[in-house]
Amino acid sequence: MGVQTGNTLLQIAFLLYVSSLAGYLVFLVRQKDRIQKISFYLIAMGVGIHLAGMLTLGVTIKGLPVQNLVQSLSMAALALGAMFLYVQYKFNLKMLGLFAALILSITMLSALVLPDTQAPPNDAFKGVWFYCHILLIFAGDAALGLACGAGILYLLQEKGIKARNPGFFFKRLPSLDFLDDVSHACITTGFFLLTLGLVTGFVYAKVLWGHFWSWDFKEVFSLGAWFVYAVLLHLRLYAGWRGRKSAIMTIVGFAIIVFTFLGVNLFLGGHHQEFTK
Amino acid sequence: MPNIILIGINHKTAPVALREKLSFSIEETLAALETLKQHPGIKEILIFSTCNRTEILYVASRSGTVDTLITFLSGSKQISPSEFVPALYILRKEEAIHHLFRVAASLDSMMVGEPQILGQIKLAYRTAVKAGTSKVLLNRMMHKSFSVAKKVRKETGIGDNAVSISYAAIELANKIFSDLSTKTVMLLGAGEMAELAVEHLISHNVGQIRVSNRTFENAVALAERFNGRALGFEERVDALTEVDIIISSTGATDYVITADQVKKAMKKRKYRTLFFIDIAVPRDIDPKINQLSNVYVYDIDDLKTVVASNIQQREQETVKAERFVSEAVIKFRQWLDSLAIVPTIKALNEKMTGIVEMECDKTLSHLSHLAEPDKDAIRRMTQAIATRAIHDPIMFLKHTGGHRDDSLYLNVARQLFNLDMLENQ
């Protein structure tokens, strides 16, 4: 029963995300602030209902609903949606909604289409360290995803200005400085959360298996992504890697994260595989 | 139709030297209005003066007022009529209304679509209200002009695009930097072009200003004017590490900033963005600099391209805006016509007759026992009551006193009996 209710709520959330995406596409062309506001409220409503759905699922299975690929995707979408609401509230970067709505729609579509195989209950997926690890990693990834979104917007705006032919996006996007600032703020937040997520993961591994590090593929790639962002932040501070270079790095970094999230488990195996079957 | 007249000069009819001489500050406007309202031929009057125009809009109650105003201008501005009368345009009635609406909607501006004009007109209107020289007609006319302007701004893309070189440069700067007030601008060359650019930038709240020029004296003079700092011409390269926007307009035949210099400077400034605006011909800034990351170089042709594409878009929007203005003029004209005595009395009669007939029909339909002659008698009686009731107001309206402001009373009458329903829709 609880699973059914939860899934219905997720489907409603998906519909809201898709409507919001449609709204943002209209906004892209027509540039009416009212359309942007409506689209934003659609996402906000979607996130609220999505959260209710995930809570229902969580209560039903008495644990975090990240037991299989479908649930993990749904959780990733929820994290991105919630993080987007915060970033939008803080920076009001109107066009970022288009990116968020697109990613949310795609992620939720795959979560609804893929077979939802019930995983057998596993006591390993319990405990405060596990919860912290999962939530921090998802939140961090969401922030880094939005950094990538802002990075893409930066590159679109920069391309026109550099080519001395300010085109379609010139009026629709804010200044380069602002886009860079948003991207940077997202990276800093995401990196901080990711670091905490990795640390709690190590602690959890120590508690569960007795050792911090076990050369699991996902561990290796996660640390790889962490290094990309660490280097990026360092270079920004000391070698002035801002603007275009930084924007490209956010896209590379996020690609590694997406691969770590999906690819590693699908192709390479390891003890994280459980979550993404 | 009341005798609405607009006389004025603008950037199309007069050079800046003449416009300067005829411009009015707020205090001067107030004083002028106080003087002019004493004149028996002027019922309502308003003066608006910006850097591009000086216009006087008024309602005349007799002929010969144009000459009065020309004499007044000549006297108060110490300028002989022969100097400015050829540049003067005199528009009457519908033409005057049309002109005012176009000006408010920024269709008559030097830079069509620029947003400041509406604020300037509102200020002129407030000044006239303060001096007590704006009454029924001008009040209504000015408010109509504001609403047309708002409609044009809201429903056409006329204000969206920058259509002058320096405006385009500022728009670009705003899309590169998020906050111009924290940025420093360096002027290379202290010529007239540079001055113009800086004036624009200052009005957009740019941070600090540096001026570098081959002749140091000129740099100092210009820097002083804009509260900036003068730099020696040799210092320009070192300054690249601390300034953000460079506007170059020197007469040099060779590049005054080379790619190598910028490359080194970028490293020192940790690749914080640099924006070069090169308005010199031949160019001052090596175009190769644009290839460096986080550096943007726009020369005069690039800016012209930006402006040209904006102008093209804007022209399509202008057609739409002109239509809004014409519509508003027609509606305003209809209102003006209705302000005449005969239509007002007619409207009042029609309204009363309508009410009486409606109420009679309603009552008589319940009184089926009455014979037809009785019903007719009742109808006649109610009609007579209505006619009597409005007899005095109509007599009052018909009595056109010599110095009474008819438009004021007609307007009150129309509002009192709510006769303007059609026009207000």
Side-chain angles (χ1 to χ4, degrees), chain A residues 91-114:
Chain A
F91 292 101
N92 193 22
L93 172 51
K94 290 175 182 157
M95 270 301 159
L96 191 61
L98 181 61
F99 175 82
L102 183 69
I103 301 282
L104 286 173
S105 301
I106 293 173
T107 317
M108 285 308 280
L109 181 66
S110 6
L112 293 175
V113 166
L114 289 171

Side-chain angles (χ1 to χ4, degrees), chain A residues 133-156:
Chain A
H133 168 60
I134 292 291
L135 292 176
L136 286 167
I137 291 277
F138 273 97
D141 285 359
L144 294 170
L146 293 172
C148 165
I152 291 172
L153 296 180
Y154 181 94
L155 291 178
L156 287 173

Side-chain angles (χ1 to χ4, degrees), chain A residues 158 161-162 164 173 176, chain B residues 175 290 292 295-296 298 302:
Chain A
E158 208 254 3
I161 293 179
K162 194 70 161 182
R164 287 173 283 199
L173 291 173
L176 294 176
Chain B
K175 287 289 179 181
N290 192 48
L292 301 171
V295 185
Y296 306 93
Y298 275 69
D302 300 328

